[in-house]
Structure formats: C-alpha cells, structure tokens
Amino acid sequence: MIFSGFPAGCGVYMIGIGGVSMSALAVHLLSRGYRVRGSDRAESKRIRYLRGFGIPVSIGEEEKISEQIVVYTGAVDRDQPQLKDAEKAGKRLISRAKLLGSVAEEFPHVVSVAGCHGKTSTTAMLAHIFEAAGKKFTCHIGGDDLTFGNYYHCGDDIFLTEACEYQRSFLSLKSSVAVILNIDKDHTDCYHNDQELIGAFCNFAENAEKTVVPASDVRLAGFPRTTDFGGLGEYRMTELRVQNERYAFTVVEKGIPLVRVQLNVCGRVHAENALAAFACARFLGISAEDIKRGLESFRGVKRRFEEVGKIAGVPVICDYAHHPREISAVFETAKAVTEGTVRLVFQPHTYTRTRDLMRDFTDVLKCAENPIIYATYPARESYCYEGSAVALVSRVPEASYVSTPQEIRKRLIADGIKSGDLVLVLGAGDIYEKILSVLD
C-alpha cells in the first residue's frame, strides 16, 4: 500500500503533474489502481501524454479538489490557494519527495542515483543495463531516455530512481544501492554553505545498504560497504580512446581488466557516468558482459546534447546544462565536434543560482564568441536583479540579451552563422520549447 490507510482505488490529486518526475509518478500510481487527476500551470506535450492514459489534467489553480490525497512538488508554495483549501478541507497532503519514498518502499531492491550533475544520464544507463541483464525493474528517470522515456515498468524486483538533492528530497529514500556521482555548489536557496550540502549527501549515503562514490572525493570516504570509481578507485578506465567525442575504454575492476566499452553518446562526462553505473551494477551481481551491452545500447536522453533541427541551415543542439561546470563541459564537447564556431545561447535558471554563482557563470560565458543570454527562467522564485539575465549580460561585454525566441533567430542570422557552425542552446527552463518554435 503506497499510501498508509488509503488503499488502491482511492483518489489522488497531483499539483504540478506535468513535471518530469510527477508525470512518471502519476503513471505509476495509475498502474497501481489509484484514480489520478491533477493540474499544472500550462499546457505541454507531457500533459497531453498523461491525458492519453486517461488522467484528467486541468490548467490553472482554480479547480476544487475532491480527492482524498493531494501531492505537490517542491516548486509549489505551501500558501498556494489550492493547497491551502485542500489543507482546510482535511485532505492528506504529501510532497513529491515523500511520495517517491513511499513508492520505493514497495520494492525489495532500490537503486538511487544522486549527484549535482549527471543523475539523469546515469539513471538511464542503469535502465539499459538492467534491460540487457533481464532484470525485472521499474525506472523513474528525471528526463526522457530515448528508449524508455521517463518511466518504464517490466517488473517489481528493482526500483531505479533519480535522487534529487533539492530541498533534501533524496532523504526520503532508503536505498539498497546509492550512487553519488559528485557534489558541487548549487541550490544555494536551500543550502547555505558547503557543509550543509555535504551533510545532506552523507545522510543520503547513510540511508543506503551499499554506496558507490567517486574515489576523488575524500568527503564521502568511510561509509560501510562502499565501492569507489574513477581515479585510483576500485573501478577505473584505462586505454581511453575518443573519436568524434564518443569514448571507448577498458573497465578495470580491482586491478583486473574486464571488458572494453564503446559508448554511443558524446562527451567525456558520459564515460565517467558509465563507470559509476558499471560499479553500481556489479554491486547487484550483474555480469561485465551484460553491463557492456547495456551501456552500448544507451543512445542518450532528450535535452542532453540533443540535435533538434536547424536555424538558417546550421545545426541546433540543446542541452539541459544550467550550472557553470555543466556549461563548460558541454561547450568543450561542442567545440570538439564543430569545424566552425559554436554559438552559445543560454537561459539562466533561477535568480539565486545565477546570483550566487555569478562569477563562475561570467567566466564560462566569456569563453564563447558573442553569447546570447535569454531571459531568466524563474521557476519558483521572484524577480531579483542581482541574479537576473540582465545582470549577467552586464558582466559579459560580448554577450547580448534577448527575451523572445524570434530575437534569438534574428541575432544568429544577423551575426552571420554559416555552414560548419553549431548553435548550442543551454538551460533547464523553457528555452527548449522556445527554440523549437523558431527552427527552419
């Protein structure tokens, strides 16, 4: 029983149902016999997808909630009228994070992937590994894998999920295996210093039976039943080769070469993520050959170096990168596969992140030629000039500010983009949908 005291068949209302994580959970609840309904702020492809399952979704916050259980995302203000009315009516309110933890408890084995960068791709890689190994699993991915989407069910033995650190939501998970890819300064609206962030990751690891951590991060050493990857860890890459930014390497386990893996996605970060997934899968007793087949079948995730079309005949690649370290990594990958100039279009995501990492954003954007900065995606936040796109542009003299997708296209064409160039569109907000509207 996912909801204690509320058996299958009862009604669940989900506020913010169109989000990647919430939509996956909505489909899962439906498969478990719950009656699901919800709302979101705007129409989207994902909402139309949910309606295809027979899940009613309304747009706006005026709808009266009749269901017994109300689930809300971390982006929803607890003073939101719809939520306040539900609370006054005695409905049971549950956060998305708590729901995810309750869903996980229904499975005998839980694999959780955390980290400030790379969670979605690594979770998707593990789904491919489990499929190759014939495992009976259900996966909940924070993005759309090109094969599995954001939710896939083929059994109830393993629950595979992305574990998000925002608002410490991953502390609702008790994992059989917890993977930590990295820890980096982020979400400064809920982590006031590095110690708080590191402490949350350590608590996440303590909730797991086994942990997989990067060998280079001494802050994560010492957990019982831990294995490490990268550097001088138990799992290493040797004989690293790259062609067109697709990496091949031999995996060494405790000093013994096991298999050679050829990835079919671009970027060095994918090789590092694959090594973490390899270590996790070995903890679960999966053979090296099955892991190899799974990793090589992985073709990527939407909005992760995804070619979406062209502008004036020039290829456009979209990526979810919204942190300075991620922007730097994907920009280097783009330069490696481009003969001409990489034209960078970036949408800042939240004012607090932009404000608190302003120097890092400035440094990485100055590496690009005439970058274009799109209006900030505020998410859950109110306007703050110090963290705005305008403030960011003022610190990058080569950059230009735009506020409509049509301006992006006009600016690129006016600047003379040409054959051999590449347009790289980055951000975790609505820039993806915006750029799709102005492609050739």
Side-chain angles (χ1 to χ4, degrees), residues 314-328:
V314 174
V316 177
I317 286 180
C318 287
D319 196 277
Y320 201 70
H322 56 287
H323 184 282
R325 191 181 300 273
E326 295 165 352
I327 295 170
S328 179

Side-chain angles (χ1 to χ4, degrees), residues 26-239:
V27 174
H28 183 75
L29 291 177
L30 190 70
S31 74
R32 290 299 200 256
Y34 291 92
R35 292 181 290 105
V36 181
R37 188 166 67 100
S39 62
D40 216 307
R41 292 181 296 180
E43 286 285 347
S44 68
K45 183 177 179 180
R46 204 174 297 280
I47 284 174
R48 292 189 290 274
Y49 162 80
L50 290 174
R51 289 183 180 134
F53 281 93
I55 298 175
V57 180
S58 63
I59 303 304
E61 301 171 353
E62 292 78 25
E63 185 176 41
K64 184 174 178 60
I65 299 174
S66 58
E67 287 74 14
Q68 303 97 315
I69 300 170
V70 179
V71 181
Y72 60 93
T73 70
V76 173
D77 189 332
R78 284 298 297 263
D79 290 328
Q80 188 238 49
Q82 196 179 31
L83 203 56
K84 292 293 286 184
D85 288 346
E87 188 173 31
K88 288 178 183 176
K91 310 293 184 183
R92 179 176 176 186
L93 306 185
I94 181 170
S95 68
R96 181 210 63 87
K98 293 292 185 183
L99 171 58
L100 181 61
S102 296
V103 167
E105 288 176 358
E106 297 286 298
F107 293 77
H109 306 288
V110 177
V111 176
S112 305
V113 181
C116 294
H117 318 294
K119 295 185 291 292
T120 298
S121 294
T122 307
T123 305
M125 285 178 176
L126 280 165
H128 283 264
I129 291 170
F130 293 168
E131 177 82 356
K135 295 294 185 182
K136 303 300 182 184
F137 71 100
T138 296
C139 66
H140 168 265
I141 305 173
D144 292 303
D145 176 82
L146 296 181
T147 301
F148 300 116
N150 67 334
Y151 176 81
Y152 179 72
H153 170 78
C154 69
D156 293 335
D157 185 38
I158 299 173
F159 183 65
L160 167 63
T161 184
E162 186 170 321
C164 181
E165 73 278 10
Y166 179 62
Q167 293 185 340
R168 297 171 174 80
S169 65
F170 58 1
L171 298 186
S172 295
L173 291 162
K174 290 181 169 48
S175 309
S176 306
V177 183
V179 180
I180 298 177
L181 299 169
N182 44 64
I183 302 178
D184 204 353
K185 183 178 180 179
D186 200 5
H187 298 305
T188 53
D189 54 335
C190 58
Y191 294 107
H192 300 104
N193 53 55
D194 291 345
Q195 288 69 34
E196 286 188 7
L197 179 63
I198 295 163
F201 274 93
C202 289
N203 290 339
F204 168 70
E206 288 165 352
N207 278 341
E209 296 172 16
K210 303 174 184 177
T211 54
V212 176
V213 300
S216 59
D217 197 334
V218 296
R219 300 171 299 182
L220 294 170
F223 293 109
R225 305 194 73 185
T226 294
T227 191
D228 51 16
F229 65 92
L232 299 177
E234 293 178 80
Y235 290 87
R236 309 177 193 176
M237 291 182 286
T238 62
E239 300 176 298

